[in-house]
Amino acid sequence: MSRTNRSHGNDAWNVTVIALVVVLAGLLYVFGAAMSGDSLRLTESVRGAEVFDTRNLP
């Protein structure tokens, strides 16, 4: 295998890993915002989600 082919293979893996990290970061942000209740509209947009406001409970 020539050195040029290895370089293209490594570039493809690098792009794949970066894309995966971006997608996972986006999912983490969306689910984190939904779980924390930062945005009521975001939580309500999840089908079947129930909103519990526990901020004023003792």
Side-chain angles (χ1 to χ4, degrees):
M1 183 182 292
S2 71
R3 189 163 183 83
T4 305
N5 288 341
R6 269 193 222 148
S7 177
H8 290 301
N10 287 340
D11 290 343
W13 274 110
N14 289 339
V15 170
T16 303
V17 169
I18 290 171
L20 182 62
V21 167
V22 168
V23 168
L24 290 176
L27 287 173
L28 182 63
Y29 173 77
V30 168
F31 284 116
M35 294 301 251
S36 69
D38 284 343
S39 172
L40 206 54
R41 279 188 16 214
L42 177 63
T43 304
E44 290 173 347
S45 70
V46 178
R47 185 178 304 232
E50 296 182 24
V51 179
F52 297 101
D53 188 5
T54 58
R55 289 176 284 197
N56 296 327
L57 293 178

